[in-house]
Amino acid sequence: MHTVPDLRAHGGADAFLRNCASRAVLDLLTNKWVCLVVGALRPGTMRFGELRRRLDGVTQKMLTQTLRDLERAGLVHRAVYPSVPPRVEYSLTPLGQNVAGLMDAIRVWSEEHIDDIRTAQEAYDTKAGEELQPV
Amino acid sequence: MHTVPDLRAHGGADAFLRNCASRAVLDLLTNKWVCLVVGALRPGTMRFGELRRRLDGVTQKMLTQTLRDLERAGLVHRAVYPSVPPRVEYSLTPLGQNVAGLMDAIRVWSEEHIDDIRTAQEAYDTKAGEELQPV
DNA sequence: CGGTATCCAACAGGATACTG
DNA sequence: CAGTATCCTGTTGGATACCG
């Protein structure tokens, strides 16, 4: 009763705390494939095969798993049309659209700052090697 | 010559492509601990021990590794004061501050949408169980 | 086409012990 | 205090095969 654990602006949620539910949400969002799937769906509905081709390097398993996680979290809607061959379309829910701006921003930031990062990494690696042989 | 691979606003970088360097940057940023470390450092400099206490549940190993990755990428500055006992202070570089708003936004979004996510997940799990026993 | 199931290698990441 | 080193386990994630 003596230590109310640091209530915040929103209902007491704090992702810095290990057992706070928001930590799990953060864990869901901070994922490469989640970011790319949401980014890909932002312009509109896509089929499974379209997504697989768009997300270069994704395996069927990872794409399925990512889409299930997002569907379960209510960020993505899955529509099945029982035609032959089967047709499955994925789209963002309102909640998914709500976070899509953020996901897109991260991807765009990554694309825009490649050179900054690479330059810094090369400098770091060079310096690490040099201080072993000062002369 | 017929298919220039979709140049974008910035210099042709496209995180949807497997071998694009921006994919690696995206991989660095989409990480729970990265998000929390950058968020923790946003208000100002912190010592290693302070960070460890702030990021509830982080192990020494993961925190060290995360800080090294961020330092190497040029997002975090590491200052060592050779006193006894040693004092090491971490702070955001300008580049780190540049991305910190984004990282913070993700964490805050996670904290603000816990209920939406949990409600959706419970509905999903309930529905999955029901369709095995319709009657 | 859009999955599911299975196997397996690799790596992430936790616990512990030790060091300048 | 701020690490590094080592060990070990669990999960990630790739490859492959099969199904409705």
Side-chain angles (χ1 to χ4, degrees):
Chain A
M1 180 180 291
H2 42 120
T3 53
V4 177
D6 182 40
L7 299 190
R8 311 282 292 279
H10 20 277
D14 184 354
F16 284 104
L17 298 178
R18 190 200 322 229
N19 293 323
C20 179
S22 65
R23 176 71 73 87
V25 177
L26 186 65
D27 226 355
L28 172 72
L29 295 182
T30 53
N31 174 297
K32 176 179 53 179
W33 297 127
V34 164
C35 185
L36 290 173
V37 164
V38 171
L41 289 178
R42 196 142 105 109
T45 297
M46 292 187 80
R47 298 183 58 176
F48 185 88
E50 291 176 320
L51 281 169
R52 183 167 45 174
R53 283 185 294 275
R54 185 80 213 280
L55 274 62
D56 187 28
V58 75
T59 61
Q60 195 173 38
K61 178 181 172 181
M62 287 313 300
L63 182 54
T64 299
Q65 183 178 303
T66 303
L67 286 167
R68 285 296 170 284
D69 288 344
L70 290 175
E71 186 193 1
R72 179 167 179 268
L75 301 182
V76 159
H77 175 68
R78 178 171 180 263
V80 182
Y81 303 95
S83 53
V84 178
R87 181 180 184 86
V88 181
E89 292 189 344
Y90 292 92
S91 58
L92 294 180
T93 63
L95 188 62
Q97 290 168 22
N98 183 282
V99 80
L102 232 38
M103 297 286 100
D104 247 29
I106 296 175
R107 182 178 49 75
V108 170
W109 194 96
S110 301
E111 294 170 348
E112 286 174 341
H113 293 82
I114 302 176
D115 291 343
D116 293 333
I117 303 281
R118 211 203 41 232
T119 301
Q121 290 177 337
E122 287 173 357
Y124 183 94
D125 294 345
T126 300
K127 195 166 57 176
E130 276 174 0
E131 55 195 38
L132 294 175
Q133 296 297 336
V135 177
Chain B
M1 181 179 290
H2 42 120
T3 53
V4 176
D6 180 43
L7 298 190
R8 312 282 292 278
H10 19 277
D14 185 354
F16 284 103
L17 299 178
R18 190 200 322 228
N19 292 323
C20 179
S22 65
R23 175 72 73 87
V25 177
L26 185 65
D27 226 353
L28 171 71
L29 295 182
T30 54
N31 175 298
K32 177 179 53 178
W33 297 127
V34 164
C35 186
L36 291 174
V37 164
V38 172
L41 289 179
R42 196 143 105 106
T45 297
M46 291 186 81
R47 298 183 58 175
F48 184 87
E50 291 176 322
L51 281 169
R52 183 168 45 174
R53 283 187 292 276
R54 186 79 213 281
L55 274 61
D56 188 28
V58 74
T59 61
Q60 196 172 38
K61 178 181 172 181
M62 287 313 300
L63 182 55
T64 299
Q65 183 177 304
T66 302
L67 286 167
R68 286 296 170 284
D69 288 345
L70 290 175
E71 186 193 1
R72 179 168 178 267
L75 301 183
V76 159
H77 174 68
R78 179 169 179 265
V80 183
Y81 302 94
S83 52
V84 178
R87 181 182 185 85
V88 180
E89 291 188 346
Y90 292 92
S91 57
L92 294 181
T93 63
L95 188 62
Q97 290 169 23
N98 183 283
V99 79
L102 231 40
M103 298 287 99
D104 246 28
I106 295 174
R107 182 178 50 76
V108 170
W109 194 96
S110 301
E111 294 170 350
E112 287 174 341
H113 292 82
I114 301 177
D115 291 342
D116 293 333
I117 303 281
R118 209 202 42 230
T119 301
Q121 289 176 340
E122 285 172 359
Y124 182 94
D125 294 344
T126 301
K127 196 166 56 179
E130 277 175 359
E131 58 195 34
L132 295 174
Q133 297 296 337
V135 176

